[in-house]
Amino acid sequence: MLPLDPEEHWLEAGITGLPRQREWDAVAAVDAPGSEGDEASFVALPDGRTVVDEAPGGFDPAPFAASLEGALAPPYRALARRRTDVWAVGASSIEVVRLDPEPRGADLELTSDGETASLRVDDLPSGIDGAVALRALAESREDGAYAAHAHRLESDLWEVLILPL
């Protein structure tokens, strides 16, 4: 029988020897005086443009994207948070594709068990024909079961994540 003293068998928080999972591909500190709000997110596109996802009015992503130059090549998704007078910005690589024909909605969730596929458009069930281009892309990469998520950035430009199941 084990003794009832848990301190003999428990490790202190953070002292497990296991590394913490990396959350960002690149991080930077940004001095952006005049930037409003406390948090903003944007996507940097391969052609150098940025698409603001969520931010207060008048937010300019340029100084934040410039701070990540050389550390991470676009496309990437970035999150900026105000820390006193300086902002912290973290970015992760993403995949951006054009889906043609252009699906309706802003978010697509396509899953397949290898035989049958199902689609949700903006969290509502939809007919599978609503994501012909996404399905073709997913099936060209994955044999069998997969989950694909697409988020519209602008018109026919989508952020895509395709994972095997």
Side-chain angles (χ1 to χ4, degrees), residues 42-103:
F42 65 93
V43 172
L45 300 174
D47 64 7
R49 293 180 300 131
T50 55
V51 176
V52 176
D53 197 27
E54 292 182 33
F59 175 78
D60 179 13
F64 301 93
S67 72
L68 294 166
E69 270 184 39
L72 184 63
Y76 60 79
R77 175 172 288 284
L79 174 65
R81 287 195 178 137
R82 183 185 301 275
R83 301 286 185 237
T84 62
D85 295 334
V86 177
W87 288 71
V89 60
S92 297
S93 294
I94 61 171
E95 180 179 7
V96 174
V97 299
R98 293 194 184 279
L99 294 180
D100 187 29
E102 186 179 319

Side-chain angles (χ1 to χ4, degrees), residues 2-151:
L2 292 175
L4 296 177
D5 184 5
E7 291 182 15
E8 290 183 26
H9 302 284
W10 289 3
L11 295 173
E12 289 187 37
I15 315 295
T16 63
L18 299 175
R20 186 173 172 193
Q21 186 176 3
R22 183 179 70 178
E23 187 172 348
W24 306 106
D25 293 328
V27 293
V30 181
D31 186 21
S35 293
E36 296 180 21
D38 292 324
E39 185 173 296
S41 65
F42 65 93
V43 172
L45 300 174
D47 64 7
R49 293 180 300 131
T50 55
V51 176
V52 176
D53 197 27
E54 292 182 33
F59 175 78
D60 179 13
F64 301 93
S67 72
L68 294 166
E69 270 184 39
L72 184 63
Y76 60 79
R77 175 172 288 284
L79 174 65
R81 287 195 178 137
R82 183 185 301 275
R83 301 286 185 237
T84 62
D85 295 334
V86 177
W87 288 71
V89 60
S92 297
S93 294
I94 61 171
E95 180 179 7
V96 174
V97 299
R98 293 194 184 279
L99 294 180
D100 187 29
E102 186 179 319
R104 68 185 199 293
D107 285 288
L108 308 176
E109 294 174 19
L110 177 64
T111 56
S112 173
D113 62 6
E115 294 179 19
T116 307
S118 65
L119 174 67
R120 294 180 68 81
V121 176
D122 296 335
D123 290 328
L124 298 172
S126 180
I128 196 65
D129 58 335
V132 174
L134 180 60
R135 185 175 188 182
L137 179 65
E139 290 177 355
S140 73
R141 296 185 185 176
E142 297 299 332
D143 290 333
Y146 62 83
H149 180 265
H151 173 72

